[in-house]
Amino acid sequence: MLDLAASHSRSLGYRWNPSKCAVLNAPSPTSSTSSNVRLRLYGEPLPSVDEFVYLGVPFRSKGLYGPGILALRSSGAVKTMALLNSVGVNRNGFSLLLSSRLYTCFIRPKLEYGLAISRLTSPDVKALDKLQNRLVGMFLGSSWVNVAKHITCIHPFHHRYKVLMTRYVLRSRSLADDCLVILLRDSLRYSRLVQFLSENSLYRSLPVSPPPMSPPALKAHFNAHWQEQFDRQMSAASSSGKFVLLRACRPSVSQPDPILYLPMSRNARSRLVRWRLGRFTNMDELCPCFSGARITRDHFLVCRAVDHSLVAQLPPSPPLVNRIDHALNSLPLSASAGPPSFWSALLSLLYVVDTLCHPSAHIAPDPDPGDSWFSASTSSP
């Protein structure tokens, strides 16, 4: 076969590069057939290797080696994220929403390349999720990333893996019958396309007739599938008391939290995001109101250092729901809807929370809280 490849290249006027070629599954030197195999191209010996990277994807003796993708991609992804981090993709630079979009545009595709045709085990997918958490933590400035991923719609890799496989299978269904993938699928006794990729739960959840082939319909189905899983996880967490901050957020997995894009000052947005992330209450300290109570999310609603008229202006919350969380979840999805009546009170309340959590810091007050949104509403036609 190597001689045929060499002859074909000479007849068409091109040349293979032996230094970029290698042999997998080569017979061992002690094999009885090794003396009959010439592992040479143009007379140059080809190295025998256990793993070879072709088009950025690792291959081993049994074909494409999915678990090797993580080792191949991790260092490059971390270096690229560090570069973006140095030019503003960090907690003190770009906004959280913009940073998350830069991550999904430039970093996550590096991790996802080749996954659609790879067979990964549960530990492999968990390792990819762990790497994603590390990358998100680099621009978030924290290792607690679950809430940040949710409010910015960065989905976990076990869902992204199913999305990539499903898209690949759907594309293969529209290929011509003489395409190599289709010919291999129909001729091989075992086809990864049929036996594995088509068996993932997301692909099997697609309606049989008619299939949602249009991009908007397909995206909506993917989001609905992950939304169902997320709701089930949060329901189980509510009975066990886990994921308090995550359960306090809006449940939507496809719509970014409005606090990330509604008109407001940079400092006001920072306080709203820090409340969502739990940074105001992640320290076990006494509240400086001298009541002897410790700083907690619920304490701020009854703290004697807080003007209770601010709390009273917030919308009443359902039982066992923090009133500030409920106010954040009651914000409109679009700035064109106009600020709610409690908008200024909410920003003023979180300013007081910020000062209580940092009593030794000088935090300049906002002279007119909520003015950015009010001004935008009055100036729009």
Side-chain angles (χ1 to χ4, degrees):
M1 183 178 289
L2 291 173
D3 291 340
L4 288 174
S7 299
H8 186 271
S9 67
R10 293 191 184 100
S11 64
L12 296 181
Y14 71 93
R15 178 180 172 83
W16 303 99
N17 189 344
S19 64
K20 296 182 179 180
C21 301
V23 179
L24 291 170
N25 289 336
S28 63
T30 59
S31 172
S32 59
T33 60
S34 63
S35 60
N36 299 324
V37 179
R38 296 173 59 87
L39 305 177
R40 293 175 179 272
L41 182 62
Y42 306 123
E44 299 182 31
L46 300 179
S48 298
V49 296
D50 296 325
E51 182 176 311
F52 185 74
V53 178
Y54 177 67
L55 296 179
V57 179
F59 288 83
R60 286 193 176 183
S61 59
K62 294 184 179 180
L64 190 151
Y65 182 60
I69 291 179
L70 178 63
L72 197 63
R73 304 274 189 272
S74 57
S75 61
V78 171
K79 289 180 180 178
T80 306
M81 190 70 249
L83 177 62
L84 292 178
N85 196 262
S86 67
V87 296
V89 185
N90 55 64
R91 62 185 296 180
N92 298 318
F94 301 148
S95 68
L96 178 58
L97 185 60
L98 177 57
S99 295
S100 68
R101 293 298 177 263
L102 292 173
Y103 163 77
T104 55
C105 286
F106 296 107
I107 307 299
R108 192 173 67 182
K110 290 178 172 288
L111 307 180
E112 294 180 344
Y113 177 72
L115 293 186
I117 55 176
S118 302
R119 183 163 190 171
L120 302 179
T121 63
S122 179
D124 297 330
V125 177
K126 288 181 180 179
L128 283 168
D129 261 324
K130 185 176 180 180
L131 177 58
Q132 175 168 257
N133 290 344
R134 178 185 176 186
L135 296 170
V136 172
M138 290 178 68
F139 67 77
L140 183 64
S142 171
S143 59
W144 300 93
V145 298
N146 285 340
V147 174
K149 289 195 301 181
H150 175 69
I151 65 177
T152 56
C153 300
I154 298 177
H155 296 162
F157 255 96
H158 65 82
H159 174 68
R160 290 294 305 168
Y161 181 39
K162 293 177 183 178
V163 169
L164 296 170
M165 287 192 294
T166 300
R167 289 189 181 277
Y168 182 83
V169 176
L170 291 175
R171 282 195 296 268
S172 71
R173 286 167 46 177
S174 61
L175 296 176
D177 293 338
D178 58 349
C179 285
L180 180 60
V181 171
I182 304 303
L183 294 174
L184 289 174
R185 182 196 64 186
D186 297 337
S187 60
L188 293 177
R189 183 175 62 180
Y190 173 84
S191 171
R192 179 175 293 182
L193 182 62
V194 176
Q195 269 76 12
F196 178 67
L197 300 184
S198 301
E199 292 300 314
N200 83 81
S201 60
L202 179 56
Y203 177 77
R204 296 179 67 180
S205 70
L206 293 172
V208 177
S209 179
M213 294 297 293
S214 68
L218 199 59
K219 183 177 180 181
H221 183 83
F222 293 160
N223 288 333
H225 186 269
W226 171 233
Q227 184 72 63
E228 181 181 351
Q229 293 187 0
F230 179 80
D231 292 342
R232 193 161 49 243
Q233 292 175 9
M234 293 301 101
S235 178
S238 64
S239 59
S240 62
K242 295 181 179 179
F243 303 122
V244 173
L245 294 175
L246 196 55
R247 286 188 286 112
C249 297
R250 292 170 180 256
S252 175
V253 299
S254 56
Q255 171 67 45
D257 196 310
I259 67 171
L260 301 177
Y261 57 82
L262 290 176
M264 68 187 82
S265 67
R266 182 183 178 90
N267 290 335
R269 193 184 313 279
S270 172
R271 293 186 188 107
L272 296 184
V273 170
R274 281 184 286 159
W275 176 267
R276 282 294 201 205
L277 300 182
R279 288 182 176 170
F280 287 130
T281 55
N282 63 352
M283 69 282 285
D284 184 20
E285 295 181 1
L286 292 174
C287 181
C289 67
F290 301 106
S291 65
R294 294 192 174 276
I295 292 178
T296 65
R297 289 160 49 82
D298 291 331
H299 170 70
F300 293 123
L301 301 176
V302 296
C303 179
R304 60 189 185 185
V306 175
D307 184 352
H308 291 287
S309 65
L310 298 177
V311 179
Q313 294 181 57
L314 301 183
S317 61
L320 303 180
V321 176
N322 185 280
R323 201 162 179 175
I324 297 178
D325 292 328
H326 182 64
L328 293 177
N329 294 339
S330 301
L331 294 175
L333 297 178
S334 173
S336 60
S341 58
F342 59 85
W343 179 237
S344 295
L346 176 63
L347 298 186
S348 299
L349 177 59
L350 285 175
Y351 166 77
V352 177
V353 169
D354 197 3
T355 58
L356 290 175
C357 293
H358 305 92
S360 60
H362 174 69
I363 303 175
D366 190 345
D368 192 0
D371 180 64
S372 300
W373 196 355
F374 284 108
S375 299
S377 300
T378 55
S379 61
S380 60

